[in-house]
Amino acid sequence: MVFILAPMITFILALIAWAVIPFGEGIVLADINVGILYLFAISSLGVYGIIMSGWASNSKYAFLGALRSAAQMVSYEVSIGFVIITVLLCVGSLNLSAIVRAQEGLWFCIPLFPMFIIFFISALAETNRSPFDLPEAEAELVSGYNVEYSAMTFGLFMLGEYANMILMSGLTSILFLGGWLPPLSIAPFTWIPGPIWFFAKIALCLFVFLWVRATMPRYRYDQLMRLGWKVFLPASLFWLVLTAGVLVTFGWTPVVAQ
């Protein structure tokens, strides 16, 4: 039962996370005020599907792959959390639509450029994409946690993985690239509907995902952990404190988010 349940959990969690993603002004399934917390909860639950698949396979190779993946996802969720908190400090709201509206004058990828880079690289590790695809290192672990799966159960793992990849691209667009907002608030940019801009930004992020896969060699596992805990964690924490200090010093702290 657990063997079949694991890929279903992975796939379903990747889909229900889209409930709070706004595609345009007012175009969102559930425009809740705690959309970021909802995404945090869903991404945290995603670890269970991986662990269950490795444990239920009754194979040491699958179990090693599951442990690698779980440790990797938990490690990089920490730096992703600090990056998102930095964005929330600039917005004053947990609502994803409010985060997009706060970027009408300037996209956050410019003032928060280091956090943008940390977030995107952490997204690569969170979704097990190259050069951080260690849970599926074919030469080392025989494809990792899903080695005992085939047919549609294997397909659900792959669909869930690519759905997570598209989800992280959408979240990158919302947090740093202005969501559905055009690059410039002048014609002819404003003639293009917001959802088209949003999907174009997702396509750009996906292109970078594939670009990195074709360019970078795979990291060793110790390098992966060192990057997450000794580089990204202190860097994101420092930038979080710096951002808070600048907002308070210059009186830029948002009072009420619309």
Side-chain angles (χ1 to χ4, degrees):
M1 181 64 182
V2 178
F3 188 81
I4 302 298
L5 195 59
M8 293 176 62
I9 289 176
T10 302
F11 177 66
I12 292 172
L13 289 176
L15 289 185
I16 63 176
W18 284 94
V20 296
I21 299 294
F23 298 94
E25 185 64 53
I27 308 175
V28 57
L29 185 61
D31 192 19
I32 58 178
N33 291 327
V34 289
I36 286 291
L37 293 182
Y38 175 84
L39 289 176
F40 266 135
I42 296 301
S43 63
S44 300
L45 290 173
V47 180
Y48 287 99
I50 305 299
I51 289 290
M52 289 168 62
S53 66
W55 176 74
S57 295
N58 197 26
S59 166
K60 60 183 179 181
Y61 297 108
F63 191 59
L64 282 173
L67 291 179
R68 273 184 158 186
S69 182
Q72 178 174 324
M73 292 172 72
V74 171
S75 299
Y76 281 86
E77 276 181 3
V78 178
S79 56
I80 285 178
F82 281 127
V83 171
I84 293 178
I85 292 172
T86 306
V87 174
L88 298 182
L89 284 176
C90 301
V91 179
S93 174
L94 297 173
N95 184 279
L96 293 172
S97 297
I99 293 174
V100 174
R101 296 189 197 101
Q103 301 178 66
E104 289 181 348
L106 182 67
W107 292 357
F108 287 151
C109 65
I110 297 176
L112 302 177
F113 183 74
M115 299 301 263
F116 172 55
I117 298 300
I118 290 175
F119 182 85
F120 192 82
I121 296 176
S122 298
L124 289 174
E126 179 76 10
T127 53
N128 299 330
R129 306 310 300 170
S130 182
F132 308 113
D133 54 342
L134 288 161
E136 300 174 15
E138 294 86 357
E140 305 163 30
L141 292 174
V142 203
S143 191
Y145 61 89
N146 54 25
V147 65
E148 299 292 334
Y149 287 86
S150 62
M152 199 57 220
T153 52
F154 178 82
L156 286 176
F157 275 123
M158 291 296 100
L159 287 172
E161 185 173 306
Y162 279 92
N164 279 323
M165 195 167 123
I166 300 172
L167 175 67
M168 294 305 293
S169 298
L171 194 56
T172 303
S173 303
I174 290 171
L175 293 176
F176 294 101
L177 301 178
W180 65 80
L181 299 175
L184 298 172
S185 298
I186 57 174
F189 297 103
T190 54
W191 297 347
I192 302 175
I196 294 180
W197 281 118
F198 182 63
F199 287 118
K201 293 171 185 176
I202 290 179
L204 176 63
C205 293
L206 290 175
F207 169 75
V208 179
F209 266 84
L210 300 178
W211 188 11
V212 171
R213 181 183 180 88
T215 305
M216 300 291 293
R218 180 183 293 131
Y219 271 41
R220 292 198 318 264
Y221 199 73
D222 62 309
Q223 294 174 329
L224 173 77
M225 288 292 123
R226 186 185 303 116
L227 180 67
W229 290 106
K230 293 186 177 181
V231 179
F232 283 178
L233 178 58
S236 58
L237 185 57
F238 167 76
W239 202 266
L240 170 62
V241 175
L242 179 64
T243 302
V246 170
L247 292 175
V248 172
T249 302
F250 292 95
W252 294 340
T253 307
V255 180
V256 178
Q258 301 295 327

